[in-house]
Amino acid sequence: SIYEMFGNECCLSTGEIIKIIGFKINKLIASICENNEVSRFSAKVELPLNFPGLYKVVADKTPYVSIEEITRKVSIGPTRFGHPCFYSPEDIKLANLTIKHGEQITFNSVEEVNGTMAVNCGVVRNNQSHSFTLPLSQEGKFYECEDDQIYTLKEIAEWKIPKCRNRIVKLSNTLHMWDSSNPLPENFDGCLILTPVYEVQAVMKFRKDIVHILSDLDVEVKDITDCYDISSFLQPLSLEDVFERTSKEFPMVAEIMEGPSGSQKPYNLLHIGKEIVIYKKYQAARVLASEIRSDSPKRHFLIPMSYKGKFKRRPREFPTAYDLELARSEKEQLHVVATKAFDSPHKELFSVSVGDQFLVQQCQTSEVLYEGRKKVIDVLACEQILSDTYKKVFLPMYMEGGFVEVIHDKKQYQLSEICKEFRLPFNVKVSVRDLSVEEDVLAAVPGLQFEEEITDSYLLISSTNSPVESWEIPVYRLNMLVHLLSRDVQTVVPPVTKTTVEEISEEQYYMVRRYENQTLHPPPRPPKKPT
């Protein structure tokens, strides 16, 4: 059988032995959904996995009838997506714990316990986590829990579509302007039913790349797993698989089976057949930064702490008095100019005109007269700058106005200094570019906002044939498959490490912020007007 694979002819000869290593969703067929059913007026459209947008998953109303069915159809794994949640409408009585009906059960991993396959699970009660196992033989009705996270289509395809089922999703954010090439209706914000189209991933005896076979290919095969030594085939590993290895197994030599796309170093060096040394795995700090511009789309960057350029401050903008309080620091007094007028409803508080200048002092309380009654509200104490003096005034914390910062600091800062001395978000521009790299992508950006400091997972790699420098590659943003070679590493100590500024897409930006903020409490909102 001869077929075309990504523009190349591929031949499956009679008697050829193929090792199936996985099934992967190749694309999605989407239909507009109404009341959990396909709309009568909806045409089916084909969506590639990189179709832009963020989506919420709608919980499947069809129950699973056993734990074994869940493990067979739902992705459960070590990554942050691989922990699905279910509930049972009936109590589940275990030896030392009773799972109450409706209680959210998190499925963490599948493993053998005392000779029986089981799922490691957990429930949270009163902020305390309780772990237990459920055998695959456990029967009952198990329903998906509601999921308030947002996902890209690619993430949904990889982790959130159970085998042999469709998936309903709700569009959360389009992330791009609608145009005529968009297969979805203009201003669409409803639900879609996604039907997956699969491809088979396989390795062949005498090929070093992954073969992708469309699931509708007309070819007859026979299962010979029980009578063939499958250890003679290559074992592909994703970067996540490599990262899950113990630290003692590093360094290791690997050959790339599928490489990433991209012209930026080091991605342009990571092509199929390239041999690399993977020295170690670790967590590294980055500063998440976005281009300052009023229109979209903005560019987003992850900046390593080793960045050698220098920055000068740029004025920050504050929409409310409450934001002034959040930005206030002990290091220096915050000086702002009002860009929007505000008429105070209380004579005890100050009315602001455009152009008024203030030095922000501190938050305190003040008594005001409201509809004949005295009320205590939060206010921001400031000094208004007049021509020859200062006047103490109070601004209501709920005030929606507009302020822009006046910068007196002309110093040039390293990235590490800014993270240490100032509270993020923080506005800057590059004043001295990083001379250690050929092209500093940040130097051409007129203004940057440092949003937050994050921690991400990386592998340190170098080329085996010319290990003059090593590179950090991100584990969760790089699609790459390797297989390990049974060779000793010549140089255990990695060469000089090159870290690069990574430009990330809009979807990746939302994902990075989502993961980072999962452990943080949302910021308090500004006080409302007294009622």
Side-chain angles (χ1 to χ4, degrees):
S1 176
I2 298 176
Y3 70 100
E4 191 174 280
M5 180 180 68
F6 304 127
N8 299 315
E9 255 189 14
C10 181
C11 178
L12 295 178
S13 306
T14 301
E16 181 127 45
I17 297 173
I18 305 169
K19 179 185 176 184
I20 305 299
I21 60 170
F23 299 90
K24 186 178 180 182
I25 294 176
N26 176 267
K27 59 188 175 184
L28 296 163
I29 306 299
S31 307
I32 293 176
C33 172
E34 292 178 358
N35 300 321
N36 289 347
E37 294 181 355
V38 176
S39 168
R40 288 184 302 153
F41 308 104
S42 170
K44 292 184 177 180
V45 296
E46 190 176 295
L47 298 181
L49 299 189
N50 61 356
F51 186 76
L54 295 173
Y55 305 82
K56 281 195 171 182
V57 169
V58 177
D60 196 338
K61 298 292 190 290
T62 305
Y64 294 84
V65 297
S66 68
I67 299 298
E68 187 272 336
E69 185 190 6
I70 292 176
T71 60
R72 207 165 16 90
K73 295 184 176 180
V74 179
S75 297
I76 302 171
T79 75
R80 47 198 161 204
F81 299 118
H83 304 302
C85 297
F86 296 86
Y87 70 90
S88 168
E90 307 288 337
D91 288 357
I92 302 174
K93 293 183 179 179
L94 305 173
N96 55 357
L97 187 69
T98 297
I99 309 304
K100 298 171 185 173
H101 64 275
E103 193 166 21
Q104 180 171 300
I105 307 168
T106 302
F107 286 42
N108 293 315
S109 62
V110 182
E111 61 183 61
E112 190 174 321
V113 179
N114 299 326
T116 304
M117 293 304 294
V119 179
N120 286 318
C121 302
V123 294
V124 177
R125 295 173 178 170
N126 300 321
N127 295 324
Q128 292 288 317
S129 182
H130 302 269
S131 298
F132 57 95
T133 59
L134 289 175
L136 267 57
S137 58
Q138 178 85 39
E139 295 184 343
K141 288 186 176 180
F142 298 92
Y143 292 88
E144 268 190 340
C145 294
E146 295 293 337
D147 186 348
D148 60 357
Q149 288 292 340
I150 53 174
Y151 302 94
T152 63
L153 268 191
K154 185 173 182 293
E155 290 171 338
I156 291 172
E158 289 177 356
W159 290 96
K160 297 298 176 182
I161 299 185
K163 292 182 180 68
C164 306
R165 294 197 183 194
N166 296 334
R167 171 60 83 190
I168 299 176
V169 298
K170 179 169 176 56
L171 189 61
S172 175
N173 188 337
T174 57
L175 295 183
H176 70 310
M177 300 296 288
W178 187 91
D179 59 44
S180 56
S181 64
N182 190 330
L184 299 178
E186 189 171 1
N187 300 321
F188 176 75
D189 63 353
C191 290
L192 297 171
I193 295 182
L194 302 179
T195 303
V197 177
Y198 288 91
E199 67 178 23
V200 177
Q201 296 172 299
V203 288
M204 294 183 177
K205 190 81 178 217
F206 301 107
R207 291 180 65 130
K208 288 190 174 182
D209 57 345
I210 308 293
V211 178
H212 301 260
I213 307 171
L214 295 179
S215 56
D216 58 357
L217 183 68
D218 186 15
V219 61
E220 290 185 2
V221 294
K222 182 181 179 182
D223 186 358
I224 60 169
T225 307
D226 295 335
C227 56
Y228 194 84
D229 179 17
I230 60 172
S231 63
S232 59
F233 283 93
L234 301 177
Q235 177 60 48
L237 299 172
S238 67
L239 294 186
E240 290 97 325
D241 295 330
V242 175
F243 194 81
E244 290 300 319
R245 301 244 165 169
T246 63
S247 296
K248 292 180 181 177
E249 296 178 71
F250 294 86
M252 56 183 71
V253 181
E255 182 177 345
I256 297 173
M257 300 182 73
E258 273 191 0
S261 57
S263 57
Q264 184 183 7
K265 263 191 174 185
Y267 307 146
N268 59 343
L269 307 175
L270 304 177
H271 49 77
I272 293 175
K274 177 88 171 179
E275 292 185 6
I276 58 173
V277 179
I278 307 174
Y279 289 98
K280 61 179 179 176
K281 65 172 187 175
Y282 54 93
Q283 303 281 315
R286 293 290 188 270
V287 170
L288 178 62
S290 294
E291 183 181 18
I292 299 174
R293 57 186 297 172
S294 55
D295 56 341
S296 62
K298 297 178 181 178
R299 297 169 71 188
H300 306 285
F301 306 92
L302 287 173
I303 310 173
M305 289 300 176
S306 58
Y307 178 80
K308 294 180 173 59
K310 290 189 176 182
F311 301 94
K312 278 190 174 181
R313 296 173 62 174
R314 277 199 55 171
R316 291 171 287 178
E317 295 183 3
F318 307 99
T320 69
Y322 179 73
D323 292 297
L324 295 178
E325 165 61 17
L326 292 179
R328 187 173 61 84
S329 75
E330 301 299 325
K331 184 177 182 294
E332 63 177 359
Q333 198 158 31
L334 183 58
H335 178 190
V336 295
V337 178
T339 56
K340 186 177 176 182
F342 170 78
D343 289 325
S344 171
H346 315 291
K347 61 179 177 54
E348 300 90 345
L349 305 181
F350 189 69
S351 291
V352 175
S353 301
V354 173
D356 284 349
Q357 297 192 43
F358 303 95
L359 295 176
V360 178
Q361 293 185 322
Q362 64 194 33
C363 174
Q364 60 186 68
T365 57
S366 178
E367 202 174 66
V368 298
L369 201 61
Y370 184 76
E371 294 182 349
R373 290 179 293 126
K374 288 185 177 179
K375 295 201 79 164
V376 174
I377 66 169
D378 290 328
V379 296
L380 189 65
C382 299
E383 286 188 332
Q384 184 189 12
I385 302 174
L386 302 174
S387 56
D388 55 355
T389 186
Y390 296 92
K391 175 185 175 184
K392 187 156 189 175
V393 297
F394 298 110
L395 306 179
M397 201 67 84
Y398 62 78
M399 167 190 169
E400 291 187 10
F403 302 91
V404 65
E405 184 178 20
V406 178
I407 301 290
H408 300 284
D409 181 3
K410 305 300 180 186
K411 181 182 171 182
Q412 298 185 108
Y413 291 92
Q414 300 276 6
L415 181 61
S416 57
E417 292 177 306
I418 292 174
C419 293
K420 183 179 178 181
E421 297 182 24
F422 300 100
R423 184 181 296 175
L424 304 186
F426 197 75
N427 292 359
V428 297
K429 66 177 178 180
V430 174
S431 55
V432 178
R433 75 175 187 87
D434 187 346
L435 299 174
S436 67
V437 295
E438 293 176 15
E439 181 186 3
D440 184 350
V441 294
L442 299 181
V445 181
L448 286 167
Q449 181 174 78
F450 291 164
E451 297 187 15
E452 59 186 318
E453 194 175 334
I454 70 161
T455 303
D456 209 355
S457 303
Y458 291 88
L459 295 171
L460 186 65
I461 68 162
S462 76
S463 171
T464 54
N465 53 14
S466 57
V468 292
E469 55 191 18
S470 58
W471 300 87
E472 289 180 337
I473 58 172
V475 172
Y476 295 109
R477 287 185 302 282
L478 206 60
N479 291 322
M480 192 166 118
L481 288 175
V482 302
H483 73 94
L484 301 183
L485 303 176
S486 54
R487 283 217 317 264
D488 291 334
V489 178
Q490 301 299 317
T491 309
V492 178
V493 179
V496 177
T497 302
K498 291 276 190 180
T499 52
T500 59
V501 174
E502 183 186 354
E503 184 165 358
I504 58 175
S505 68
E506 191 87 356
E507 281 94 342
Q508 289 171 334
Y509 165 78
Y510 275 90
M511 297 306 104
V512 168
R513 296 218 70 176
R514 177 186 69 189
Y515 303 143
E516 198 65 23
N517 291 331
Q518 277 179 345
T519 57
L520 302 176
H521 297 293
R525 297 311 307 144
K528 295 181 179 179
K529 293 181 182 179
T531 54

